[in-house]
Amino acid sequence: MKPMTLRIAPIEPQWFEQKAQVQSHTWRELNQGRIPQEIVDAITPDFALRLTRNAANNSNQATLVALDNDQAIGFAELLRTPRPPINRPDAAELASLYVLTVHHRKGVGRMLIEAGKRAIGNDRLVLWVMAFNTNAQGFYRHIGFHETGRTQTEDMGPELEMINYTDDEPNQQ
């Protein structure tokens, strides 16, 4: 077995297809049997590749890949300006964080988030996590996030808002 030579890098065209494969695989693995099947089936490698190409041209977004021996094993997508219904003007949004299961608990997710904060120039992050995804919630708590008490329900079901800073802004919803 090769030793892991992990690095985090901004997405480049040479990794688009690998990132799309990771996205499709992890999406299916996480959501199979938990959300409507048509939504699970929608994130094909081709669809994920189109999303990846579009994101690469979005100046509001930073996409980072975790590479082990130059093979994509995970990725993070961060938005400098959060999407509605988030009303946190001083925070950035962690829109996606996915790591192949075989690489869980090796520091990959934490490295992606730390690199993402540097890439977007903001340490304050907000995210939505599926209510059923207790593993992700535990990971986020472990690295300093906490629930705000805000929820939303999308096509995939209930989601919880989490932040990694003190919720002390007076103008929050």
mmCIF file of all heavy atoms in Angstrom, residues 55-89:
data_model
loop_
_atom_site.group_PDB
_atom_site.id
_atom_site.type_symbol
_atom_site.label_atom_id
_atom_site.label_comp_id
_atom_site.label_asym_id
_atom_site.label_seq_id
_atom_site.Cartn_x
_atom_site.Cartn_y
_atom_site.Cartn_z
ATOM 1 N N ALA A 55 -18.632 26.118 -11.995
ATOM 2 C CA ALA A 55 -18.080 26.671 -10.752
ATOM 3 C C ALA A 55 -16.696 27.265 -10.977
ATOM 4 O O ALA A 55 -16.331 28.260 -10.349
ATOM 5 C CB ALA A 55 -18.020 25.597 -9.680
ATOM 6 N N ALA A 56 -15.929 26.684 -11.879
ATOM 7 C CA ALA A 56 -14.571 27.175 -12.140
ATOM 8 C C ALA A 56 -14.584 28.604 -12.678
ATOM 9 O O ALA A 56 -13.597 29.335 -12.539
ATOM 10 C CB ALA A 56 -13.852 26.249 -13.116
ATOM 11 N N ASN A 57 -15.703 29.011 -13.277
ATOM 12 C CA ASN A 57 -15.817 30.364 -13.833
ATOM 13 C C ASN A 57 -16.572 31.319 -12.917
ATOM 14 O O ASN A 57 -16.880 32.432 -13.317
ATOM 15 C CB ASN A 57 -16.518 30.299 -15.188
ATOM 16 C CG ASN A 57 -15.726 29.504 -16.190
ATOM 17 O OD1 ASN A 57 -14.516 29.645 -16.273
ATOM 18 N ND2 ASN A 57 -16.393 28.642 -16.939
ATOM 19 N N ASN A 58 -16.869 30.896 -11.691
ATOM 20 C CA ASN A 58 -17.643 31.703 -10.754
ATOM 21 C C ASN A 58 -16.683 32.413 -9.803
ATOM 22 O O ASN A 58 -16.057 31.770 -8.961
ATOM 23 C CB ASN A 58 -18.614 30.801 -9.983
ATOM 24 C CG ASN A 58 -19.485 31.563 -9.016
ATOM 25 O OD1 ASN A 58 -19.256 32.722 -8.714
ATOM 26 N ND2 ASN A 58 -20.499 30.883 -8.503
ATOM 27 N N SER A 59 -16.587 33.723 -9.914
ATOM 28 C CA SER A 59 -15.652 34.479 -9.069
ATOM 29 C C SER A 59 -16.072 34.506 -7.602
ATOM 30 O O SER A 59 -15.266 34.838 -6.734
ATOM 31 C CB SER A 59 -15.493 35.906 -9.600
ATOM 32 O OG SER A 59 -16.739 36.578 -9.556
ATOM 33 N N ASN A 60 -17.323 34.154 -7.296
ATOM 34 C CA ASN A 60 -17.793 34.097 -5.916
ATOM 35 C C ASN A 60 -17.444 32.762 -5.248
ATOM 36 O O ASN A 60 -17.644 32.591 -4.062
ATOM 37 C CB ASN A 60 -19.314 34.304 -5.860
ATOM 38 C CG ASN A 60 -19.851 34.377 -4.443
ATOM 39 O OD1 ASN A 60 -19.338 35.110 -3.600
ATOM 40 N ND2 ASN A 60 -20.887 33.602 -4.164
ATOM 41 N N GLN A 61 -16.902 31.822 -6.003
ATOM 42 C CA GLN A 61 -16.702 30.464 -5.491
ATOM 43 C C GLN A 61 -15.240 30.054 -5.555
ATOM 44 O O GLN A 61 -14.537 30.362 -6.517
ATOM 45 C CB GLN A 61 -17.533 29.481 -6.313
ATOM 46 C CG GLN A 61 -17.428 28.054 -5.806
ATOM 47 C CD GLN A 61 -18.490 27.161 -6.405
ATOM 48 O OE1 GLN A 61 -19.587 27.609 -6.716
ATOM 49 N NE2 GLN A 61 -18.176 25.894 -6.578
ATOM 50 N N ALA A 62 -14.819 29.327 -4.528
ATOM 51 C CA ALA A 62 -13.515 28.659 -4.529
ATOM 52 C C ALA A 62 -13.776 27.164 -4.440
ATOM 53 O O ALA A 62 -14.519 26.712 -3.571
ATOM 54 C CB ALA A 62 -12.673 29.118 -3.353
ATOM 55 N N THR A 63 -13.197 26.411 -5.351
ATOM 56 C CA THR A 63 -13.295 24.958 -5.332
ATOM 57 C C THR A 63 -11.899 24.398 -5.141
ATOM 58 O O THR A 63 -10.982 24.737 -5.886
ATOM 59 C CB THR A 63 -13.906 24.409 -6.640
ATOM 60 O OG1 THR A 63 -15.201 24.986 -6.824
ATOM 61 C CG2 THR A 63 -14.025 22.891 -6.602
ATOM 62 N N LEU A 64 -11.754 23.562 -4.120
ATOM 63 C CA LEU A 64 -10.471 22.947 -3.803
ATOM 64 C C LEU A 64 -10.615 21.434 -3.888
ATOM 65 O O LEU A 64 -11.670 20.891 -3.548
ATOM 66 C CB LEU A 64 -10.037 23.329 -2.389
ATOM 67 C CG LEU A 64 -9.919 24.834 -2.146
ATOM 68 C CD1 LEU A 64 -9.834 25.127 -0.663
ATOM 69 C CD2 LEU A 64 -8.707 25.387 -2.859
ATOM 70 N N VAL A 65 -9.548 20.784 -4.321
ATOM 71 C CA VAL A 65 -9.548 19.321 -4.359
ATOM 72 C C VAL A 65 -8.473 18.801 -3.417
ATOM 73 O O VAL A 65 -7.416 19.414 -3.266
ATOM 74 C CB VAL A 65 -9.323 18.768 -5.787
ATOM 75 C CG1 VAL A 65 -10.533 19.002 -6.654
ATOM 76 C CG2 VAL A 65 -8.083 19.343 -6.432
ATOM 77 N N ALA A 66 -8.789 17.689 -2.776
ATOM 78 C CA ALA A 66 -7.810 16.950 -1.984
ATOM 79 C C ALA A 66 -7.253 15.878 -2.896
ATOM 80 O O ALA A 66 -8.011 15.100 -3.485
ATOM 81 C CB ALA A 66 -8.469 16.336 -0.757
ATOM 82 N N LEU A 67 -5.945 15.856 -3.016
ATOM 83 C CA LEU A 67 -5.280 14.929 -3.922
ATOM 84 C C LEU A 67 -4.362 13.999 -3.134
ATOM 85 O O LEU A 67 -3.550 14.457 -2.327
ATOM 86 C CB LEU A 67 -4.451 15.698 -4.959
ATOM 87 C CG LEU A 67 -5.251 16.668 -5.832
ATOM 88 C CD1 LEU A 67 -4.341 17.681 -6.489
ATOM 89 C CD2 LEU A 67 -6.048 15.895 -6.871
ATOM 90 N N ASP A 68 -4.494 12.718 -3.373
ATOM 91 C CA ASP A 68 -3.605 11.718 -2.813
ATOM 92 C C ASP A 68 -2.876 11.103 -3.991
ATOM 93 O O ASP A 68 -3.508 10.463 -4.844
ATOM 94 C CB ASP A 68 -4.407 10.660 -2.042
ATOM 95 C CG ASP A 68 -3.523 9.566 -1.457
ATOM 96 O OD1 ASP A 68 -2.286 9.754 -1.386
ATOM 97 O OD2 ASP A 68 -4.068 8.526 -1.069
ATOM 98 N N ASN A 69 -1.565 11.331 -4.043
ATOM 99 C CA ASN A 69 -0.778 10.872 -5.197
ATOM 100 C C ASN A 69 -1.422 11.336 -6.510
ATOM 101 O O ASN A 69 -1.567 10.565 -7.448
ATOM 102 C CB ASN A 69 -0.616 9.349 -5.170
ATOM 103 C CG ASN A 69 0.153 8.887 -3.950
ATOM 104 O OD1 ASN A 69 1.209 9.423 -3.637
ATOM 105 N ND2 ASN A 69 -0.392 7.908 -3.239
ATOM 106 N N ASP A 70 -1.831 12.596 -6.530
ATOM 107 C CA ASP A 70 -2.447 13.249 -7.698
ATOM 108 C C ASP A 70 -3.772 12.636 -8.136
ATOM 109 O O ASP A 70 -4.211 12.834 -9.270
ATOM 110 C CB ASP A 70 -1.475 13.344 -8.867
ATOM 111 C CG ASP A 70 -0.431 14.411 -8.616
ATOM 112 O OD1 ASP A 70 -0.754 15.445 -7.992
ATOM 113 O OD2 ASP A 70 0.728 14.227 -9.043
ATOM 114 N N GLN A 71 -4.453 11.924 -7.237
ATOM 115 C CA GLN A 71 -5.798 11.414 -7.491
ATOM 116 C C GLN A 71 -6.762 12.137 -6.553
ATOM 117 O O GLN A 71 -6.517 12.196 -5.342
ATOM 118 C CB GLN A 71 -5.879 9.908 -7.239
ATOM 119 C CG GLN A 71 -5.106 9.080 -8.245
ATOM 120 C CD GLN A 71 -5.676 9.216 -9.646
ATOM 121 O OE1 GLN A 71 -6.864 9.006 -9.867
ATOM 122 N NE2 GLN A 71 -4.835 9.575 -10.600
ATOM 123 N N ALA A 72 -7.844 12.680 -7.104
ATOM 124 C CA ALA A 72 -8.824 13.387 -6.286
ATOM 125 C C ALA A 72 -9.505 12.403 -5.344
ATOM 126 O O ALA A 72 -9.993 11.351 -5.769
ATOM 127 C CB ALA A 72 -9.858 14.078 -7.166
ATOM 128 N N ILE A 73 -9.514 12.754 -4.051
ATOM 129 C CA ILE A 73 -10.165 11.920 -3.037
ATOM 130 C C ILE A 73 -11.234 12.707 -2.278
ATOM 131 O O ILE A 73 -11.938 12.154 -1.445
ATOM 132 C CB ILE A 73 -9.150 11.326 -2.048
ATOM 133 C CG1 ILE A 73 -8.418 12.435 -1.282
ATOM 134 C CG2 ILE A 73 -8.184 10.386 -2.769
ATOM 135 C CD1 ILE A 73 -7.636 11.949 -0.076
ATOM 136 N N GLY A 74 -11.329 13.996 -2.564
ATOM 137 C CA GLY A 74 -12.319 14.839 -1.909
ATOM 138 C C GLY A 74 -12.279 16.234 -2.483
ATOM 139 O O GLY A 74 -11.398 16.568 -3.275
ATOM 140 N N PHE A 75 -13.250 17.051 -2.070
ATOM 141 C CA PHE A 75 -13.296 18.430 -2.533
ATOM 142 C C PHE A 75 -14.126 19.269 -1.587
ATOM 143 O O PHE A 75 -14.920 18.761 -0.803
ATOM 144 C CB PHE A 75 -13.852 18.532 -3.963
ATOM 145 C CG PHE A 75 -15.305 18.198 -4.073
ATOM 146 C CD1 PHE A 75 -16.270 19.203 -4.023
ATOM 147 C CD2 PHE A 75 -15.732 16.889 -4.232
ATOM 148 C CE1 PHE A 75 -17.622 18.896 -4.116
ATOM 149 C CE2 PHE A 75 -17.069 16.573 -4.328
ATOM 150 C CZ PHE A 75 -18.019 17.581 -4.269
ATOM 151 N N ALA A 76 -13.909 20.568 -1.679
ATOM 152 C CA ALA A 76 -14.720 21.544 -0.939
ATOM 153 C C ALA A 76 -15.059 22.676 -1.892
ATOM 154 O O ALA A 76 -14.232 23.066 -2.734
ATOM 155 C CB ALA A 76 -13.951 22.090 0.265
ATOM 156 N N GLU A 77 -16.273 23.193 -1.742
ATOM 157 C CA GLU A 77 -16.710 24.355 -2.511
ATOM 158 C C GLU A 77 -17.185 25.396 -1.510
ATOM 159 O O GLU A 77 -18.037 25.107 -0.668
ATOM 160 C CB GLU A 77 -17.846 23.967 -3.464
ATOM 161 C CG GLU A 77 -17.385 22.969 -4.507
ATOM 162 C CD GLU A 77 -18.520 22.370 -5.324
ATOM 163 O OE1 GLU A 77 -19.570 22.032 -4.737
ATOM 164 O OE2 GLU A 77 -18.340 22.246 -6.541
ATOM 165 N N LEU A 78 -16.601 26.581 -1.583
ATOM 166 C CA LEU A 78 -16.945 27.671 -0.676
ATOM 167 C C LEU A 78 -17.396 28.877 -1.476
ATOM 168 O O LEU A 78 -16.856 29.159 -2.549
ATOM 169 C CB LEU A 78 -15.741 28.055 0.186
ATOM 170 C CG LEU A 78 -15.283 26.954 1.135
ATOM 171 C CD1 LEU A 78 -14.147 26.176 0.516
ATOM 172 C CD2 LEU A 78 -14.871 27.541 2.459
ATOM 173 N N LEU A 79 -18.389 29.580 -0.943
ATOM 174 C CA LEU A 79 -18.924 30.783 -1.580
ATOM 175 C C LEU A 79 -18.574 31.988 -0.726
ATOM 176 O O LEU A 79 -18.845 31.994 0.479
ATOM 177 C CB LEU A 79 -20.439 30.670 -1.727
ATOM 178 C CG LEU A 79 -20.941 29.470 -2.520
ATOM 179 C CD1 LEU A 79 -22.454 29.374 -2.446
ATOM 180 C CD2 LEU A 79 -20.468 29.544 -3.960
ATOM 181 N N ARG A 80 -17.992 32.990 -1.344
ATOM 182 C CA ARG A 80 -17.639 34.210 -0.605
ATOM 183 C C ARG A 80 -18.884 34.889 -0.028
ATOM 184 O O ARG A 80 -18.855 35.446 1.053
ATOM 185 C CB ARG A 80 -16.878 35.165 -1.520
ATOM 186 C CG ARG A 80 -15.481 34.709 -1.815
ATOM 187 C CD ARG A 80 -14.758 35.616 -2.829
ATOM 188 N NE ARG A 80 -13.392 35.158 -3.020
ATOM 189 C CZ ARG A 80 -13.039 34.169 -3.833
ATOM 190 N NH1 ARG A 80 -13.959 33.535 -4.542
ATOM 191 N NH2 ARG A 80 -11.783 33.804 -3.948
ATOM 192 N N THR A 81 -19.979 34.826 -0.774
ATOM 193 C CA THR A 81 -21.260 35.394 -0.346
ATOM 194 C C THR A 81 -22.260 34.254 -0.235
ATOM 195 O O THR A 81 -22.553 33.589 -1.234
ATOM 196 C CB THR A 81 -21.759 36.428 -1.375
ATOM 197 O OG1 THR A 81 -20.748 37.408 -1.584
ATOM 198 C CG2 THR A 81 -23.041 37.083 -0.908
ATOM 199 N N PRO A 82 -22.782 34.000 0.961
ATOM 200 C CA PRO A 82 -23.731 32.888 1.124
ATOM 201 C C PRO A 82 -25.012 33.083 0.319
ATOM 202 O O PRO A 82 -25.444 34.204 0.073
ATOM 203 C CB PRO A 82 -24.044 32.908 2.625
ATOM 204 C CG PRO A 82 -22.900 33.616 3.246
ATOM 205 C CD PRO A 82 -22.453 34.632 2.235
ATOM 206 N N ARG A 83 -25.607 31.956 -0.057
ATOM 207 C CA ARG A 83 -26.872 31.959 -0.793
ATOM 208 C C ARG A 83 -28.032 32.117 0.190
ATOM 209 O O ARG A 83 -27.959 31.642 1.316
ATOM 210 C CB ARG A 83 -27.053 30.634 -1.534
ATOM 211 C CG ARG A 83 -25.979 30.334 -2.551
ATOM 212 C CD ARG A 83 -26.031 28.897 -2.992
ATOM 213 N NE ARG A 83 -25.625 28.050 -1.871
ATOM 214 C CZ ARG A 83 -25.520 26.734 -1.925
ATOM 215 N NH1 ARG A 83 -25.805 26.086 -3.029
ATOM 216 N NH2 ARG A 83 -25.139 26.036 -0.872
ATOM 217 N N PRO A 84 -29.118 32.753 -0.271
ATOM 218 C CA PRO A 84 -30.327 32.790 0.557
ATOM 219 C C PRO A 84 -30.794 31.358 0.806
ATOM 220 O O PRO A 84 -30.584 30.506 -0.057
ATOM 221 C CB PRO A 84 -31.331 33.553 -0.296
ATOM 222 C CG PRO A 84 -30.499 34.333 -1.268
ATOM 223 C CD PRO A 84 -29.259 33.519 -1.501
ATOM 224 N N PRO A 85 -31.373 31.067 1.934
ATOM 225 C CA PRO A 85 -31.904 31.987 2.931
ATOM 226 C C PRO A 85 -30.883 32.414 3.998
ATOM 227 O O PRO A 85 -31.254 33.016 4.984
ATOM 228 C CB PRO A 85 -33.038 31.177 3.567
ATOM 229 C CG PRO A 85 -32.528 29.775 3.532
ATOM 230 C CD PRO A 85 -31.763 29.668 2.234
ATOM 231 N N ILE A 86 -29.614 32.084 3.799
ATOM 232 C CA ILE A 86 -28.606 32.494 4.780
ATOM 233 C C ILE A 86 -28.511 34.010 4.779
ATOM 234 O O ILE A 86 -28.382 34.631 3.731
ATOM 235 C CB ILE A 86 -27.238 31.865 4.468
ATOM 236 C CG1 ILE A 86 -27.309 30.341 4.569
ATOM 237 C CG2 ILE A 86 -26.161 32.425 5.407
ATOM 238 C CD1 ILE A 86 -26.062 29.622 4.078
ATOM 239 N N ASN A 87 -28.566 34.591 5.978
ATOM 240 C CA ASN A 87 -28.429 36.039 6.134
ATOM 241 C C ASN A 87 -27.270 36.299 7.100
ATOM 242 O O ASN A 87 -27.484 36.656 8.248
ATOM 243 C CB ASN A 87 -29.732 36.650 6.642
ATOM 244 C CG ASN A 87 -29.641 38.161 6.745
ATOM 245 O OD1 ASN A 87 -28.806 38.781 6.087
ATOM 246 N ND2 ASN A 87 -30.480 38.752 7.569
ATOM 247 N N ARG A 88 -26.076 36.062 6.614
ATOM 248 C CA ARG A 88 -24.864 36.232 7.414
ATOM 249 C C ARG A 88 -23.842 36.958 6.554
ATOM 250 O O ARG A 88 -22.945 36.339 5.978
ATOM 251 C CB ARG A 88 -24.350 34.882 7.888
ATOM 252 C CG ARG A 88 -25.354 34.201 8.811
ATOM 253 C CD ARG A 88 -24.822 32.936 9.423
ATOM 254 N NE ARG A 88 -25.810 32.377 10.321
ATOM 255 C CZ ARG A 88 -26.004 32.779 11.574
ATOM 256 N NH1 ARG A 88 -25.263 33.721 12.095
ATOM 257 N NH2 ARG A 88 -26.939 32.223 12.317
ATOM 258 N N PRO A 89 -23.978 38.286 6.455
ATOM 259 C CA PRO A 89 -23.132 39.049 5.531
ATOM 260 C C PRO A 89 -21.639 39.008 5.850
ATOM 261 O O PRO A 89 -20.826 39.271 4.964
ATOM 262 C CB PRO A 89 -23.689 40.473 5.632
ATOM 263 C CG PRO A 89 -24.504 40.504 6.880
ATOM 264 C CD PRO A 89 -24.954 39.112 7.154
#
